[in-house]
Amino acid sequence: MFSATQSMLGLASGMLVGFSLGLVGGGGSILAVPLMVYVVGVPEPHVAIGTSAIAVAANAAVNLSNHARGGTVIWSCALVFALSGMLGAFGGSILGKMLEGQKLLALFSLVMLVIAGLMLKNRARVGLTDVKISMSNMPAIIGLGLATGTMSGFFGIGGGFLIVPALMLATGMPIMNAVSSSLVAVTAFGMTTALSYAWSGLVSWGLAGLFVAGGIAGGLLGTSSARHLSERRGALNIVFATVIIVVAIYMLLRNINVS
């Protein structure tokens, strides 16, 4: 059971997670896991990971509907990417539960920093606006989907911070389309990972509900902000990378102190 203060913190944290998903199509679990551990006070990292997977998957589905109404989701690429990654997400979640919780968070932080660097490096890239699935890009979509799904399951995340750059790499689509399309895979990966953790009893259902409720409001604001930022070249990439870097450094510092 959570106190009234923890419940309010959970609701506010959910709003921040929903805003991130609506804004950049990812970052949900990057924020959700440390918020659950360090702000709400969930004592067990694996419970935080399992709970965040359910909350992020549900919030991603809501934000996907917001982006779909704007016509920015490239469904053919998104669906193939998501389906190819679901098997990897299931296998990755089994491996992730075998690793000690604090080590998992530390490794998670290092991966986040690498991805942030790649996003900043490619921030000025415009992308192809008429992308569709074809025989030429299908191997890359399937391969990166499988690899991203495995990492998503291993770290217990929806995977948006991996999926957005992977979709851009596989298809050449602009970041706005990648943000929107990534939510298909975030929903699928997150739910696959969540089912695995729920089966092991590593989910706090009450906290997940608070995160989803807060995330709906945050997601509406995030989607609106993304549409405005997409009009400025490289702005979404910079925002995306900055969020990742700040949270990753904080998590690394916390794990250094713990050790």
Side-chain angles (χ1 to χ4, degrees):
M1 295 294 293
F2 292 96
S3 66
T5 300
Q6 285 179 307
S7 297
M8 290 301 296
L9 289 172
L11 192 65
S13 297
M15 292 181 67
L16 184 58
V17 168
F19 177 78
S20 177
L21 285 168
L23 179 63
V24 295
S29 292
I30 292 177
L31 295 172
V33 173
L35 283 172
M36 287 185 183
V37 174
Y38 303 128
V39 176
V40 180
V42 176
E44 169 54 49
H46 285 110
V47 173
I49 289 171
T51 304
S52 73
I54 288 181
V56 168
N59 281 330
V62 173
N63 282 292
L64 174 61
S65 67
N66 295 334
H67 280 271
R69 285 194 292 270
T72 53
V73 179
I74 302 179
W75 290 100
S76 61
C77 297
L79 289 170
V80 172
F81 189 97
L83 289 173
S84 64
M86 288 179 69
L87 180 60
F90 180 75
S93 67
I94 295 175
L95 294 174
K97 286 183 289 185
M98 297 177 181
L99 189 64
E100 193 271 324
Q102 295 295 339
K103 292 180 180 178
L104 193 61
L105 292 177
L107 185 58
F108 188 16
S109 303
L110 295 176
V111 173
M112 288 160 57
L113 290 174
V114 173
I115 296 298
L118 292 174
M119 293 301 292
L120 286 174
K121 180 180 178 181
N122 299 318
R123 64 186 180 277
R125 181 177 169 275
V126 176
L128 307 173
T129 57
D130 58 346
V131 168
K132 60 182 179 180
I133 197 164
S134 64
M135 292 303 296
S136 62
N137 62 23
M138 186 178 294
I141 293 174
I142 293 175
L144 286 172
L146 183 61
T148 304
T150 300
M151 294 185 71
S152 171
F154 181 76
F155 291 116
I157 59 176
F161 84 105
L162 299 171
I163 297 165
V164 170
L167 280 171
M168 294 170 68
L169 177 62
T171 67
M173 68 175 65
I175 188 171
M176 186 62 205
N177 295 109
V179 165
S180 301
S181 302
S182 73
L183 291 168
V184 177
V186 172
T187 303
F189 292 4
M191 194 55 64
T192 302
T193 302
L195 289 173
S196 175
Y197 274 77
W199 181 263
S200 301
L202 297 172
V203 171
S204 171
W205 295 100
L207 181 57
L210 290 172
F211 263 68
V212 172
I216 292 174
L220 291 172
L221 180 59
T223 301
S224 176
S225 300
R227 289 172 182 154
H228 290 296
L229 283 173
S230 66
E231 299 172 0
R232 299 174 56 192
R233 186 174 180 178
L236 266 180
N237 297 63
I238 294 172
V239 170
F240 190 96
T242 301
V243 171
I244 293 175
I245 290 170
V246 170
V247 179
I249 291 174
Y250 179 74
M251 289 176 67
L252 278 174
L253 291 175
R254 288 298 298 248
N255 281 286
I256 290 172
N257 291 334
V258 168
S259 59

